[in-house]
Amino acid sequence: MKHSYMKSMVVACLATLSFIGFNATATAATNYKVVKGDSLWKLGKRYSVTIDDIKKLNNRQGDMIYIGETLAIPSKTKVLAAETTEPSTAAPANTAKPEPKPEAKPAEQETPAVSISASEKDLLARLVEAEAKGESYEGKVGVATVVLNRVDSPKFPDTVTGVIKQVVGKAYAFSPVQNGSINKPASENSKKAVEQALTRKDRLDDSIYFYNPKTATDNWIRSRAVIKTIDHHVFAK
């Protein structure tokens, strides 16, 4: 009786172990210093991780990153232990793994380096329309770029809405907010200019000011270092 009981226990244990695998995941992180042109999407593609992985490891909510900051980039390595299987007298199965099919590389596309809400995109496009109506597409991108550069700068509010609606002295920083022309709908060209500025390909050397030298009455703005002139606007920092 005792011999039969022990035999049954051994068979039961072997059957149980045949279904158990050991899967351990070791997580490491690489410190990376952000340079001009970087984005979470590009870093995720470079290190084969998701944007959410990077944001979670760095306790981030938004997608905006800043030149010079250090991010922890996760890297995951899975170690799978060998499985214990019950001996079998059956013919061995073919365990050869099929050759993996090469993955098709996704087509390159311009992905925004920063992400803002749809309402902020609309607000920014309406400001671009009001400030650069009649200007070239490049000039519209320049106006949007100045707003995004201000969001990045510690001298200004840290949101698109905050920058556009900032009050300086007794007036708004942007005249279209003051005179109400920002409330007019944006053209498709201005909307596209905002999307282009969000890719952060050309930051106009971090310009945070623009003005029309023919109409500007503030002598202080003329003292700023000029970066570029596009159409009727001078861009400065």
Side-chain angles (χ1 to χ4, degrees):
M1 176 66 72
K2 181 177 181 181
H3 178 73
S4 298
Y5 173 75
M6 292 299 294
K7 184 177 180 181
S8 299
M9 289 294 292
V10 171
V11 172
C13 289
L14 287 174
T16 301
L17 287 172
S18 67
F19 293 98
I20 297 178
F22 298 92
N23 190 350
T25 300
T27 302
T30 300
N31 288 330
Y32 177 82
K33 190 171 184 179
V34 177
V35 299
K36 184 176 181 179
D38 279 337
S39 69
L40 290 182
W41 179 83
K42 289 182 180 178
L43 294 178
K45 185 176 180 182
R46 184 182 305 169
Y47 290 96
S48 298
V49 295
T50 67
I51 293 176
D52 287 338
D53 286 338
I54 301 175
K55 289 165 64 176
K56 184 177 180 181
L57 185 58
N58 291 274
N59 296 319
R60 293 291 182 88
Q61 297 297 323
D63 293 341
M64 186 173 288
I65 58 178
Y66 305 94
I67 294 175
E69 71 169 318
T70 300
L71 294 175
I73 308 297
S75 58
K76 296 182 178 179
T77 305
K78 288 190 174 181
V79 182
L80 185 64
E83 294 183 350
T84 303
T85 58
E86 183 180 2
S88 173
T89 57
N94 182 8
T95 58
K97 295 182 178 180
E99 289 293 327
K101 294 181 180 179
E103 294 183 1
K105 294 184 178 180
E108 292 291 335
Q109 57 181 349
E110 284 192 337
T111 301
V114 295
S115 177
I116 62 176
S117 68
S119 61
E120 286 196 314
K121 279 186 182 180
D122 177 64
L123 179 64
L124 181 52
R126 285 188 279 117
L127 177 71
V128 169
E129 181 72 13
E131 288 280 11
K133 188 174 183 179
E135 302 283 305
S136 66
Y137 177 75
E138 183 186 5
K140 288 179 169 63
V141 175
V143 170
T145 297
V146 165
V147 173
L148 295 177
N149 287 346
R150 287 192 177 192
V151 173
D152 289 345
S153 171
K155 299 178 181 179
F156 298 90
D158 57 3
T159 65
V160 169
T161 301
V163 167
I164 293 176
K165 295 186 177 181
Q166 183 182 18
V167 175
V168 179
K170 295 182 179 181
Y172 287 103
F174 295 97
S175 58
V177 182
Q178 188 75 26
N179 60 35
S181 59
I182 195 174
N183 297 319
K184 296 180 180 179
S187 65
E188 288 301 317
N189 213 28
S190 292
K191 292 177 183 178
K192 290 179 181 178
V194 169
E195 295 291 348
Q196 178 67 34
L198 286 170
T199 66
R200 310 303 269 149
K201 283 188 172 182
D202 181 4
R203 300 184 62 158
L204 291 177
D205 197 20
D206 295 328
S207 295
I208 52 178
Y209 303 104
F210 66 87
Y211 63 94
N212 186 330
K214 292 183 178 180
T215 60
T217 58
D218 185 354
N219 289 326
W220 177 86
I221 195 67
R222 297 176 187 274
S223 69
R224 311 308 299 172
V226 174
I227 302 302
K228 192 174 185 179
T229 298
I230 305 174
D231 302 326
H232 297 97
H233 281 144
V234 171
F235 294 85
K237 61 188 294 187

